[in-house]
mmCIF file of all heavy atoms in Angstrom:
data_model
loop_
_atom_site.group_PDB
_atom_site.id
_atom_site.type_symbol
_atom_site.label_atom_id
_atom_site.label_comp_id
_atom_site.label_asym_id
_atom_site.label_seq_id
_atom_site.Cartn_x
_atom_site.Cartn_y
_atom_site.Cartn_z
ATOM 1 N N GLU A 49 -32.105 -90.857 18.666
ATOM 2 C CA GLU A 49 -30.745 -91.329 18.436
ATOM 3 C C GLU A 49 -30.689 -92.377 17.331
ATOM 4 O O GLU A 49 -29.717 -92.442 16.568
ATOM 5 C CB GLU A 49 -30.168 -91.870 19.742
ATOM 6 C CG GLU A 49 -29.951 -90.779 20.791
ATOM 7 C CD GLU A 49 -29.535 -91.313 22.147
ATOM 8 O OE1 GLU A 49 -29.435 -92.554 22.290
ATOM 9 O OE2 GLU A 49 -29.336 -90.495 23.060
ATOM 10 N N ALA A 50 -31.746 -93.180 17.216
ATOM 11 C CA ALA A 50 -31.761 -94.239 16.214
ATOM 12 C C ALA A 50 -31.726 -93.693 14.791
ATOM 13 O O ALA A 50 -31.194 -94.350 13.886
ATOM 14 C CB ALA A 50 -32.991 -95.122 16.403
ATOM 15 N N VAL A 51 -32.283 -92.496 14.572
ATOM 16 C CA VAL A 51 -32.308 -91.933 13.216
ATOM 17 C C VAL A 51 -31.255 -90.848 13.010
ATOM 18 O O VAL A 51 -31.228 -90.188 11.972
ATOM 19 C CB VAL A 51 -33.707 -91.379 12.873
ATOM 20 C CG1 VAL A 51 -34.758 -92.485 12.956
ATOM 21 C CG2 VAL A 51 -34.087 -90.210 13.772
ATOM 22 N N GLY A 52 -30.378 -90.673 13.975
ATOM 23 C CA GLY A 52 -29.267 -89.734 13.799
ATOM 24 C C GLY A 52 -29.496 -88.338 14.311
ATOM 25 O O GLY A 52 -28.614 -87.477 14.195
ATOM 26 N N GLY A 53 -30.664 -88.060 14.900
ATOM 27 C CA GLY A 53 -30.907 -86.775 15.537
ATOM 28 C C GLY A 53 -31.024 -85.611 14.568
ATOM 29 O O GLY A 53 -31.209 -85.780 13.359
ATOM 30 N N PHE A 54 -30.939 -84.402 15.114
ATOM 31 C CA PHE A 54 -30.990 -83.185 14.307
ATOM 32 C C PHE A 54 -29.730 -83.076 13.456
ATOM 33 O O PHE A 54 -28.615 -83.254 13.950
ATOM 34 C CB PHE A 54 -31.109 -81.940 15.188
ATOM 35 C CG PHE A 54 -32.458 -81.745 15.801
ATOM 36 C CD1 PHE A 54 -32.619 -81.806 17.188
ATOM 37 C CD2 PHE A 54 -33.568 -81.483 15.012
ATOM 38 C CE1 PHE A 54 -33.865 -81.616 17.757
ATOM 39 C CE2 PHE A 54 -34.824 -81.295 15.578
ATOM 40 C CZ PHE A 54 -34.970 -81.359 16.951
ATOM 41 N N GLN A 55 -29.913 -82.748 12.197
ATOM 42 C CA GLN A 55 -28.794 -82.535 11.304
ATOM 43 C C GLN A 55 -28.363 -81.063 11.353
ATOM 44 O O GLN A 55 -29.179 -80.177 11.641
ATOM 45 C CB GLN A 55 -29.171 -82.926 9.872
ATOM 46 C CG GLN A 55 -29.563 -84.390 9.737
ATOM 47 C CD GLN A 55 -28.461 -85.312 10.231
ATOM 48 O OE1 GLN A 55 -27.317 -85.245 9.782
ATOM 49 N NE2 GLN A 55 -28.799 -86.182 11.178
ATOM 50 N N PRO A 56 -27.102 -80.752 11.065
ATOM 51 C CA PRO A 56 -26.614 -79.367 11.149
ATOM 52 C C PRO A 56 -27.082 -78.517 9.964
ATOM 53 O O PRO A 56 -26.288 -78.022 9.159
ATOM 54 C CB PRO A 56 -25.095 -79.540 11.158
ATOM 55 C CG PRO A 56 -24.855 -80.798 10.392
ATOM 56 C CD PRO A 56 -26.007 -81.706 10.748
ATOM 57 N N LEU A 57 -28.395 -78.331 9.882
ATOM 58 C CA LEU A 57 -29.001 -77.563 8.801
ATOM 59 C C LEU A 57 -29.325 -76.155 9.278
ATOM 60 O O LEU A 57 -29.720 -75.956 10.427
ATOM 61 C CB LEU A 57 -30.274 -78.246 8.310
ATOM 62 C CG LEU A 57 -30.123 -79.695 7.812
ATOM 63 C CD1 LEU A 57 -31.498 -80.288 7.498
ATOM 64 C CD2 LEU A 57 -29.224 -79.746 6.585
ATOM 65 N N GLU A 58 -29.219 -75.178 8.402
ATOM 66 C CA GLU A 58 -29.531 -73.803 8.761
ATOM 67 C C GLU A 58 -31.032 -73.586 8.899
ATOM 68 O O GLU A 58 -31.470 -72.632 9.537
ATOM 69 C CB GLU A 58 -28.949 -72.852 7.721
ATOM 70 C CG GLU A 58 -27.426 -72.817 7.724
ATOM 71 C CD GLU A 58 -26.874 -71.801 6.747
ATOM 72 O OE1 GLU A 58 -27.674 -71.108 6.081
ATOM 73 O OE2 GLU A 58 -25.647 -71.690 6.651
ATOM 74 N N ALA A 59 -31.814 -74.450 8.292
ATOM 75 C CA ALA A 59 -33.276 -74.423 8.407
ATOM 76 C C ALA A 59 -33.790 -75.794 8.001
ATOM 77 O O ALA A 59 -33.146 -76.515 7.246
ATOM 78 C CB ALA A 59 -33.877 -73.339 7.511
ATOM 79 N N GLY A 60 -34.958 -76.157 8.506
ATOM 80 C CA GLY A 60 -35.567 -77.421 8.122
ATOM 81 C C GLY A 60 -35.039 -78.630 8.855
ATOM 82 O O GLY A 60 -35.367 -79.768 8.496
ATOM 83 N N GLU A 61 -34.260 -78.421 9.913
ATOM 84 C CA GLU A 61 -33.742 -79.549 10.687
ATOM 85 C C GLU A 61 -34.864 -80.323 11.363
ATOM 86 O O GLU A 61 -34.777 -81.541 11.550
ATOM 87 C CB GLU A 61 -32.728 -79.064 11.721
ATOM 88 C CG GLU A 61 -33.277 -78.445 12.990
ATOM 89 C CD GLU A 61 -33.995 -77.113 12.798
ATOM 90 O OE1 GLU A 61 -33.761 -76.447 11.755
ATOM 91 O OE2 GLU A 61 -34.774 -76.731 13.682
ATOM 92 N N ASP A 62 -35.941 -79.627 11.715
ATOM 93 C CA ASP A 62 -37.101 -80.277 12.325
ATOM 94 C C ASP A 62 -37.831 -81.156 11.313
ATOM 95 O O ASP A 62 -38.208 -82.300 11.612
ATOM 96 C CB ASP A 62 -38.048 -79.228 12.925
ATOM 97 C CG ASP A 62 -38.283 -78.023 12.008
ATOM 98 O OD1 ASP A 62 -37.785 -78.020 10.861
ATOM 99 O OD2 ASP A 62 -38.969 -77.078 12.441
ATOM 100 N N ILE A 63 -38.002 -80.658 10.099
ATOM 101 C CA ILE A 63 -38.658 -81.431 9.043
ATOM 102 C C ILE A 63 -37.836 -82.663 8.692
ATOM 103 O O ILE A 63 -38.374 -83.762 8.520
ATOM 104 C CB ILE A 63 -38.874 -80.554 7.795
ATOM 105 C CG1 ILE A 63 -39.861 -79.437 8.110
ATOM 106 C CG2 ILE A 63 -39.389 -81.391 6.623
ATOM 107 C CD1 ILE A 63 -40.041 -78.439 6.992
ATOM 108 N N ALA A 64 -36.525 -82.498 8.594
ATOM 109 C CA ALA A 64 -35.651 -83.624 8.261
ATOM 110 C C ALA A 64 -35.723 -84.712 9.319
ATOM 111 O O ALA A 64 -35.750 -85.911 8.997
ATOM 112 C CB ALA A 64 -34.208 -83.137 8.090
ATOM 113 N N LEU A 65 -35.778 -84.315 10.605
ATOM 114 C CA LEU A 65 -35.846 -85.299 11.679
ATOM 115 C C LEU A 65 -37.173 -86.056 11.645
ATOM 116 O O LEU A 65 -37.200 -87.295 11.747
ATOM 117 C CB LEU A 65 -35.654 -84.617 13.035
ATOM 118 C CG LEU A 65 -35.807 -85.517 14.263
ATOM 119 C CD1 LEU A 65 -34.846 -86.708 14.210
ATOM 120 C CD2 LEU A 65 -35.605 -84.723 15.547
ATOM 121 N N VAL A 66 -38.277 -85.347 11.504
ATOM 122 C CA VAL A 66 -39.579 -86.011 11.467
ATOM 123 C C VAL A 66 -39.675 -86.938 10.262
ATOM 124 O O VAL A 66 -40.203 -88.053 10.350
ATOM 125 C CB VAL A 66 -40.721 -84.971 11.467
ATOM 126 C CG1 VAL A 66 -42.067 -85.636 11.199
ATOM 127 C CG2 VAL A 66 -40.760 -84.235 12.805
ATOM 128 N N SER A 67 -39.148 -86.511 9.118
ATOM 129 C CA SER A 67 -39.138 -87.369 7.933
ATOM 130 C C SER A 67 -38.353 -88.649 8.191
ATOM 131 O O SER A 67 -38.790 -89.752 7.818
ATOM 132 C CB SER A 67 -38.535 -86.609 6.750
ATOM 133 O OG SER A 67 -38.438 -87.437 5.601
ATOM 134 N N ALA A 68 -37.196 -88.522 8.862
ATOM 135 C CA ALA A 68 -36.378 -89.701 9.173
ATOM 136 C C ALA A 68 -37.098 -90.631 10.143
ATOM 137 O O ALA A 68 -37.040 -91.861 9.993
ATOM 138 C CB ALA A 68 -35.036 -89.258 9.756
ATOM 139 N N LEU A 69 -37.791 -90.069 11.114
ATOM 140 C CA LEU A 69 -38.540 -90.886 12.070
ATOM 141 C C LEU A 69 -39.637 -91.678 11.364
ATOM 142 O O LEU A 69 -39.795 -92.888 11.582
ATOM 143 C CB LEU A 69 -39.149 -89.999 13.153
ATOM 144 C CG LEU A 69 -38.185 -89.384 14.173
ATOM 145 C CD1 LEU A 69 -38.866 -88.265 14.945
ATOM 146 C CD2 LEU A 69 -37.659 -90.448 15.139
ATOM 147 N N ARG A 70 -40.390 -91.005 10.518
ATOM 148 C CA ARG A 70 -41.472 -91.690 9.817
ATOM 149 C C ARG A 70 -40.932 -92.735 8.850
ATOM 150 O O ARG A 70 -41.492 -93.837 8.734
ATOM 151 C CB ARG A 70 -42.339 -90.655 9.099
ATOM 152 C CG ARG A 70 -43.210 -89.848 10.075
ATOM 153 C CD ARG A 70 -43.976 -88.752 9.387
ATOM 154 N NE ARG A 70 -44.976 -88.169 10.307
ATOM 155 C CZ ARG A 70 -45.442 -86.935 10.222
ATOM 156 N NH1 ARG A 70 -45.014 -86.127 9.246
ATOM 157 N NH2 ARG A 70 -46.334 -86.495 11.084
ATOM 158 N N HIS A 71 -39.863 -92.411 8.156
ATOM 159 C CA HIS A 71 -39.261 -93.356 7.213
ATOM 160 C C HIS A 71 -38.785 -94.615 7.930
ATOM 161 O O HIS A 71 -38.852 -95.723 7.377
ATOM 162 C CB HIS A 71 -38.095 -92.689 6.478
ATOM 163 C CG HIS A 71 -37.451 -93.566 5.454
ATOM 164 N ND1 HIS A 71 -38.031 -93.833 4.230
ATOM 165 C CD2 HIS A 71 -36.274 -94.249 5.468
ATOM 166 C CE1 HIS A 71 -37.251 -94.650 3.541
ATOM 167 N NE2 HIS A 71 -36.183 -94.916 4.249
ATOM 168 N N ALA A 72 -38.320 -94.450 9.165
ATOM 169 C CA ALA A 72 -37.822 -95.592 9.945
ATOM 170 C C ALA A 72 -38.951 -96.366 10.623
ATOM 171 O O ALA A 72 -38.694 -97.378 11.288
ATOM 172 C CB ALA A 72 -36.821 -95.118 10.987
ATOM 173 N N GLY A 73 -40.174 -95.925 10.461
ATOM 174 C CA GLY A 73 -41.306 -96.654 11.019
ATOM 175 C C GLY A 73 -41.733 -96.234 12.409
ATOM 176 O O GLY A 73 -42.569 -96.904 13.032
ATOM 177 N N TYR A 74 -41.194 -95.141 12.911
ATOM 178 C CA TYR A 74 -41.604 -94.665 14.236
ATOM 179 C C TYR A 74 -42.955 -93.957 14.142
ATOM 180 O O TYR A 74 -43.293 -93.353 13.118
ATOM 181 C CB TYR A 74 -40.551 -93.728 14.826
ATOM 182 C CG TYR A 74 -39.303 -94.453 15.255
ATOM 183 C CD1 TYR A 74 -38.148 -94.422 14.463
ATOM 184 C CD2 TYR A 74 -39.271 -95.189 16.428
ATOM 185 C CE1 TYR A 74 -37.004 -95.106 14.844
ATOM 186 C CE2 TYR A 74 -38.133 -95.871 16.824
ATOM 187 C CZ TYR A 74 -37.008 -95.833 16.030
ATOM 188 O OH TYR A 74 -35.877 -96.512 16.398
ATOM 189 N N ARG A 75 -43.697 -94.034 15.225
ATOM 190 C CA ARG A 75 -45.019 -93.402 15.270
ATOM 191 C C ARG A 75 -44.883 -91.937 15.671
ATOM 192 O O ARG A 75 -44.425 -91.628 16.778
ATOM 193 C CB ARG A 75 -45.913 -94.143 16.259
ATOM 194 C CG ARG A 75 -47.268 -93.468 16.477
ATOM 195 C CD ARG A 75 -48.113 -94.259 17.448
ATOM 196 N NE ARG A 75 -49.096 -93.411 18.116
ATOM 197 C CZ ARG A 75 -49.906 -93.825 19.083
ATOM 198 N NH1 ARG A 75 -49.849 -95.083 19.492
ATOM 199 N NH2 ARG A 75 -50.761 -92.977 19.649
ATOM 200 N N VAL A 76 -45.267 -91.042 14.760
ATOM 201 C CA VAL A 76 -45.238 -89.602 15.016
ATOM 202 C C VAL A 76 -46.672 -89.094 14.984
ATOM 203 O O VAL A 76 -47.318 -89.097 13.934
ATOM 204 C CB VAL A 76 -44.394 -88.855 13.966
ATOM 205 C CG1 VAL A 76 -44.363 -87.359 14.281
ATOM 206 C CG2 VAL A 76 -42.978 -89.420 13.897
ATOM 207 N N ASP A 77 -47.194 -88.684 16.131
ATOM 208 C CA ASP A 77 -48.551 -88.148 16.213
ATOM 209 C C ASP A 77 -48.522 -86.637 15.980
ATOM 210 O O ASP A 77 -47.572 -85.953 16.388
ATOM 211 C CB ASP A 77 -49.172 -88.444 17.575
ATOM 212 C CG ASP A 77 -49.530 -89.912 17.749
ATOM 213 O OD1 ASP A 77 -49.389 -90.679 16.772
ATOM 214 O OD2 ASP A 77 -49.948 -90.289 18.863
ATOM 215 N N ALA A 78 -49.560 -86.134 15.328
ATOM 216 C CA ALA A 78 -49.692 -84.693 15.087
ATOM 217 C C ALA A 78 -50.863 -84.179 15.915
ATOM 218 O O ALA A 78 -52.010 -84.582 15.698
ATOM 219 C CB ALA A 78 -49.911 -84.419 13.605
ATOM 220 N N SER A 79 -50.574 -83.305 16.862
ATOM 221 C CA SER A 79 -51.567 -82.889 17.852
ATOM 222 C C SER A 79 -51.928 -81.419 17.717
ATOM 223 O O SER A 79 -51.051 -80.547 17.630
ATOM 224 C CB SER A 79 -51.020 -83.137 19.260
ATOM 225 O OG SER A 79 -51.839 -82.533 20.239
ATOM 226 N N ALA A 80 -53.231 -81.142 17.732
ATOM 227 C CA ALA A 80 -53.689 -79.755 17.781
ATOM 228 C C ALA A 80 -53.766 -79.250 19.219
ATOM 229 O O ALA A 80 -53.770 -78.040 19.462
ATOM 230 C CB ALA A 80 -55.054 -79.631 17.124
ATOM 231 N N ALA A 81 -53.827 -80.175 20.182
ATOM 232 C CA ALA A 81 -53.892 -79.781 21.589
ATOM 233 C C ALA A 81 -52.562 -79.225 22.069
ATOM 234 O O ALA A 81 -52.513 -78.403 22.993
ATOM 235 C CB ALA A 81 -54.299 -80.973 22.446
ATOM 236 N N LEU A 82 -51.473 -79.669 21.461
ATOM 237 C CA LEU A 82 -50.137 -79.188 21.808
ATOM 238 C C LEU A 82 -49.889 -77.907 21.011
ATOM 239 O O LEU A 82 -49.359 -77.930 19.904
ATOM 240 C CB LEU A 82 -49.108 -80.263 21.450
ATOM 241 C CG LEU A 82 -47.843 -80.340 22.305
ATOM 242 C CD1 LEU A 82 -48.187 -80.720 23.732
ATOM 243 C CD2 LEU A 82 -46.859 -81.338 21.718
ATOM 244 N N HIS A 83 -50.303 -76.780 21.557
ATOM 245 C CA HIS A 83 -50.358 -75.518 20.805
ATOM 246 C C HIS A 83 -49.557 -74.442 21.532
ATOM 247 O O HIS A 83 -49.754 -74.230 22.735
ATOM 248 C CB HIS A 83 -51.813 -75.076 20.643
ATOM 249 C CG HIS A 83 -52.004 -73.916 19.718
ATOM 250 N ND1 HIS A 83 -51.827 -74.015 18.352
ATOM 251 C CD2 HIS A 83 -52.339 -72.635 19.965
ATOM 252 C CE1 HIS A 83 -52.063 -72.838 17.797
ATOM 253 N NE2 HIS A 83 -52.371 -71.986 18.750
ATOM 254 N N ALA A 84 -48.664 -73.771 20.835
ATOM 255 C CA ALA A 84 -47.792 -72.765 21.436
ATOM 256 C C ALA A 84 -47.932 -71.437 20.709
ATOM 257 O O ALA A 84 -48.391 -71.378 19.562
ATOM 258 C CB ALA A 84 -46.338 -73.231 21.399
ATOM 259 N N VAL A 85 -47.519 -70.371 21.379
ATOM 260 C CA VAL A 85 -47.519 -69.029 20.790
ATOM 261 C C VAL A 85 -46.078 -68.624 20.544
ATOM 262 O O VAL A 85 -45.246 -68.664 21.458
ATOM 263 C CB VAL A 85 -48.201 -68.011 21.726
ATOM 264 C CG1 VAL A 85 -48.112 -66.604 21.138
ATOM 265 C CG2 VAL A 85 -49.656 -68.402 21.961
ATOM 266 N N THR A 86 -45.784 -68.239 19.302
ATOM 267 C CA THR A 86 -44.415 -67.876 18.957
ATOM 268 C C THR A 86 -44.365 -66.442 18.432
ATOM 269 O O THR A 86 -45.404 -65.819 18.188
ATOM 270 C CB THR A 86 -43.840 -68.866 17.925
ATOM 271 O OG1 THR A 86 -42.425 -68.706 17.845
ATOM 272 C CG2 THR A 86 -44.454 -68.666 16.546
ATOM 273 N N SER A 87 -43.191 -65.926 18.254
ATOM 274 C CA SER A 87 -43.031 -64.532 17.854
ATOM 275 C C SER A 87 -43.706 -64.259 16.510
ATOM 276 O O SER A 87 -43.642 -65.072 15.586
ATOM 277 C CB SER A 87 -41.549 -64.188 17.760
ATOM 278 O OG SER A 87 -41.371 -62.892 17.214
ATOM 279 N N GLY A 88 -44.336 -63.087 16.408
ATOM 280 C CA GLY A 88 -44.959 -62.675 15.155
ATOM 281 C C GLY A 88 -44.103 -61.724 14.352
ATOM 282 O O GLY A 88 -44.599 -61.076 13.422
ATOM 283 N N ARG A 89 -42.817 -61.653 14.647
ATOM 284 C CA ARG A 89 -41.936 -60.745 13.915
ATOM 285 C C ARG A 89 -41.796 -61.191 12.458
ATOM 286 O O ARG A 89 -41.926 -62.371 12.140
ATOM 287 C CB ARG A 89 -40.561 -60.686 14.588
ATOM 288 C CG ARG A 89 -39.839 -62.011 14.636
ATOM 289 C CD ARG A 89 -38.635 -61.943 15.552
ATOM 290 N NE ARG A 89 -38.042 -63.261 15.742
ATOM 291 C CZ ARG A 89 -37.202 -63.552 16.720
ATOM 292 N NH1 ARG A 89 -36.866 -62.620 17.601
ATOM 293 N NH2 ARG A 89 -36.696 -64.760 16.837
ATOM 294 N N LEU A 90 -41.487 -60.234 11.600
ATOM 295 C CA LEU A 90 -41.354 -60.521 10.170
ATOM 296 C C LEU A 90 -39.897 -60.708 9.745
ATOM 297 O O LEU A 90 -39.640 -61.109 8.607
ATOM 298 C CB LEU A 90 -41.976 -59.384 9.344
ATOM 299 C CG LEU A 90 -43.469 -59.121 9.592
ATOM 300 C CD1 LEU A 90 -43.980 -58.050 8.647
ATOM 301 C CD2 LEU A 90 -44.288 -60.390 9.453
ATOM 302 N N ARG A 91 -38.979 -60.428 10.649
ATOM 303 C CA ARG A 91 -37.565 -60.676 10.368
ATOM 304 C C ARG A 91 -37.027 -61.576 11.463
ATOM 305 O O ARG A 91 -36.876 -61.163 12.608
ATOM 306 C CB ARG A 91 -36.762 -59.365 10.309
ATOM 307 C CG ARG A 91 -37.193 -58.440 9.186
ATOM 308 C CD ARG A 91 -36.265 -57.252 9.048
ATOM 309 N NE ARG A 91 -34.933 -57.667 8.630
ATOM 310 C CZ ARG A 91 -33.909 -56.819 8.427
ATOM 311 N NH1 ARG A 91 -34.091 -55.518 8.629
ATOM 312 N NH2 ARG A 91 -32.731 -57.261 8.057
ATOM 313 N N GLY A 92 -36.753 -62.819 11.109
ATOM 314 C CA GLY A 92 -36.349 -63.801 12.099
ATOM 315 C C GLY A 92 -34.859 -64.011 12.166
ATOM 316 O O GLY A 92 -34.070 -63.268 11.577
ATOM 317 N N ARG A 93 -34.454 -65.079 12.897
ATOM 318 C CA ARG A 93 -33.054 -65.375 13.112
ATOM 319 C C ARG A 93 -32.469 -66.291 12.034
ATOM 320 O O ARG A 93 -31.280 -66.521 11.998
ATOM 321 C CB ARG A 93 -32.861 -66.038 14.487
ATOM 322 C CG ARG A 93 -33.253 -65.137 15.660
ATOM 323 C CD ARG A 93 -32.299 -63.961 15.784
ATOM 324 N NE ARG A 93 -32.578 -63.184 16.978
ATOM 325 C CZ ARG A 93 -33.229 -62.032 16.969
ATOM 326 N NH1 ARG A 93 -33.692 -61.550 15.829
ATOM 327 N NH2 ARG A 93 -33.436 -61.364 18.083
ATOM 328 N N LEU A 94 -33.343 -66.852 11.172
ATOM 329 C CA LEU A 94 -32.851 -67.743 10.135
ATOM 330 C C LEU A 94 -33.722 -67.618 8.908
ATOM 331 O O LEU A 94 -34.879 -67.214 8.974
ATOM 332 C CB LEU A 94 -32.837 -69.210 10.620
ATOM 333 C CG LEU A 94 -34.127 -69.787 11.194
ATOM 334 C CD1 LEU A 94 -34.960 -70.450 10.096
ATOM 335 C CD2 LEU A 94 -33.806 -70.807 12.277
ATOM 336 N N ARG A 95 -33.150 -67.961 7.753
ATOM 337 C CA ARG A 95 -33.891 -67.918 6.506
ATOM 338 C C ARG A 95 -34.815 -69.133 6.402
ATOM 339 O O ARG A 95 -34.535 -70.182 6.931
ATOM 340 C CB ARG A 95 -32.925 -67.897 5.314
ATOM 341 C CG ARG A 95 -32.090 -66.633 5.211
ATOM 342 C CD ARG A 95 -31.395 -66.583 3.872
ATOM 343 N NE ARG A 95 -32.365 -66.581 2.780
ATOM 344 C CZ ARG A 95 -32.020 -66.700 1.495
ATOM 345 N NH1 ARG A 95 -30.764 -66.863 1.152
ATOM 346 N NH2 ARG A 95 -32.953 -66.694 0.559
ATOM 347 N N GLU A 96 -35.916 -68.940 5.705
ATOM 348 C CA GLU A 96 -36.881 -69.990 5.454
ATOM 349 C C GLU A 96 -37.531 -70.500 6.744
ATOM 350 O O GLU A 96 -37.945 -71.643 6.840
ATOM 351 C CB GLU A 96 -36.246 -71.145 4.672
ATOM 352 C CG GLU A 96 -35.705 -70.720 3.323
ATOM 353 C CD GLU A 96 -35.282 -71.898 2.464
ATOM 354 O OE1 GLU A 96 -35.563 -73.046 2.852
ATOM 355 O OE2 GLU A 96 -34.684 -71.663 1.419
#
């Protein structure tokens, strides 16, 4: 909430949020243990 949350972007809303968090001085850890399986389709629901 402090950095304004997700912006209404068609793609890259996750990148924009993490960038805002880091710019504001929040600690963002990058974990390899937190690993998920996602769809392998070649035509997705959004561009980029």
Side-chain angles (χ1 to χ4, degrees):
E49 293 173 359
V51 300
F54 286 115
Q55 299 303 305
L57 303 174
E58 292 184 1
E61 79 293 340
D62 44 4
I63 294 174
L65 176 57
V66 171
S67 177
L69 289 165
R70 287 175 170 154
H71 182 75
Y74 288 102
R75 174 179 155 185
V76 181
D77 288 355
S79 169
L82 211 64
H83 189 70
V85 176
T86 194
S87 173
R89 61 192 172 197
L90 300 184
R91 297 188 66 180
R93 297 292 186 258
L94 53 91
R95 293 192 60 188
E96 300 189 9

